[in-house]
Amino acid sequence: IYGMDTEGGEYFYAMEYIPGQTVEELARQFVGEQIPPATTLQIGFQVAWALRAANQKNLIHRDIKMANIMVTQEEEGEELVAKLIDFGLAKPHKSEGKNLTLGAMTQGWFLGTPGYASPEQIMVKELNGQSDLYSLGMTMWKMLIGRHPLGEEGPGLIAVQLNNEPDPKDLASLNLPQKVVDLMCSLTRIK
């Protein structure tokens, strides 16, 4: 984000132009829309750094999903560069001081994408950086297995994700190191 301001009573933010594609578009290039583990981890690592930077600025993104991560590549064969986009639902995670929510302004309403929002976000509780890490974990599960780990995406998924965690057995066919499976489980553990 280069800047945030208001004009004529409307909030806006300015971001860099990113030539590339979303991770959602990238997934369509792979069989079963399963992004290879090395690429998933590479993208996830870069998004985690972006979330760290946002957290240092006291921001929670609140809408981490494949459609909100862009990937770009300077030349064929070069490493993908991931960029976190769409801070339209971002808000400060500390309640002291100015409480600006970009985009939809609301009190007591769930904002985010069903299936990716953390349980505390769904229940409209106080959020911190852990909430975005949960969303990143759900996003990475989908990148790895080609589908949402808890079932059919949509509003009905909200009730499922409040009481269920992804099954590590879904990752078994990928032959991932146990540390990666443990990481995926820790990101999506219900607190």
Side-chain angles (χ1 to χ4, degrees):
I1 299 177
Y2 288 134
M4 297 185 292
D5 209 340
T6 61
E7 187 170 309
E10 297 290 324
Y11 292 96
F12 72 89
Y13 60 97
M15 293 177 54
E16 75 174 296
Y17 170 73
I18 304 167
Q21 60 186 336
T22 65
V23 171
E24 191 171 63
E25 294 165 331
L26 175 69
R28 292 186 195 119
Q29 299 170 19
F30 296 98
V31 175
E33 298 191 10
Q34 292 178 264
I35 298 175
T39 303
T40 296
L41 292 171
Q42 177 186 12
I43 292 168
F45 181 77
Q46 292 178 46
V47 172
W49 274 102
L51 292 175
R52 181 177 185 263
N55 192 54
Q56 289 173 338
K57 298 287 186 189
N58 192 32
L59 281 178
I60 301 173
H61 187 281
R62 298 195 309 165
D63 202 19
I64 308 295
K65 58 186 176 183
M66 290 170 49
N68 286 342
I69 302 168
M70 294 281 300
V71 289
T72 186
Q73 201 172 15
E74 292 295 320
E75 292 182 28
E76 186 72 29
E78 282 193 3
E79 189 171 302
L80 288 175
V81 175
K83 303 269 185 164
L84 184 57
I85 64 169
D86 194 356
F87 280 76
L89 295 181
K91 73 177 265 180
H93 64 76
K94 301 218 181 348
S95 51
E96 314 95 43
K98 191 175 181 183
N99 194 10
L100 168 69
T101 300
L102 298 171
M105 302 290 246
T106 184
Q107 286 188 348
W109 290 71
F110 159 66
L111 289 175
T113 302
Y116 299 91
S118 66
E120 59 271 17
Q121 185 176 347
I122 292 168
M123 295 183 292
V124 194
K125 292 185 176 181
E126 187 74 26
L127 303 179
N128 60 34
Q130 280 300 127
S131 179
D132 280 343
L133 288 177
Y134 174 92
S135 300
L136 176 58
M138 285 298 195
T139 300
M140 290 175 66
W141 274 87
K142 183 174 181 181
M143 291 166 66
L144 287 167
I145 65 175
R147 60 176 171 73
H148 194 282
L150 296 177
E152 182 85 23
E153 289 187 56
L157 192 54
I158 290 174
V160 174
Q161 76 187 87
L162 285 174
N163 300 304
N164 297 281
E165 297 174 354
D167 188 346
K169 293 177 192 161
D170 288 343
L171 301 175
S173 66
L174 301 175
N175 297 316
L176 297 171
Q178 188 59 45
K179 286 185 178 189
V180 174
V181 174
D182 293 346
L183 170 67
M184 296 303 300
C185 292
S186 70
L187 287 172
T188 56
R189 189 163 291 125
I190 299 173
K191 309 293 186 254

